Amino acid sequence: MGVIESMKAVLASPAPRSRPDDGSNGAYWCDDCDVRIRDVDLEGEPVCPDCGAAMRFERATGRDCAC
């Protein structure tokens, strides 16, 4: 497949579906355990379920995750 055909294929492919807006603003992270919990999935205080340490909040900026 040539460059022109590749570009045509990319432009013709459907756009990726965006995630539904569920009100999430980011996720809480445990830097020690690499555990991530989205803010909408958290109940109570942001404490790591693996080690019990406080988790830090990182805000997503238009992406699917707060990486």
Side-chain angles (χ1 to χ4, degrees):
M1 183 183 292
V3 174
I4 301 291
E5 290 81 18
S6 296
M7 292 301 294
K8 285 181 182 179
V10 167
L11 294 174
S13 65
R17 294 178 48 198
S18 61
R19 275 180 47 182
D21 185 13
D22 59 1
S24 177
N25 290 317
Y28 288 93
W29 291 84
C30 177
D31 293 318
D32 295 332
C33 300
D34 291 330
V35 172
R36 174 184 177 262
I37 302 174
R38 293 180 62 226
D39 60 344
V40 293
D41 296 332
L42 183 70
E43 295 179 14
E45 294 297 313
V47 177
C48 178
D50 291 349
C51 70
M55 299 175 82
R56 67 178 169 86
F57 182 75
E58 190 164 321
R59 185 184 148 116
T61 55
R63 297 184 309 220
D64 287 343
C65 70
C67 310

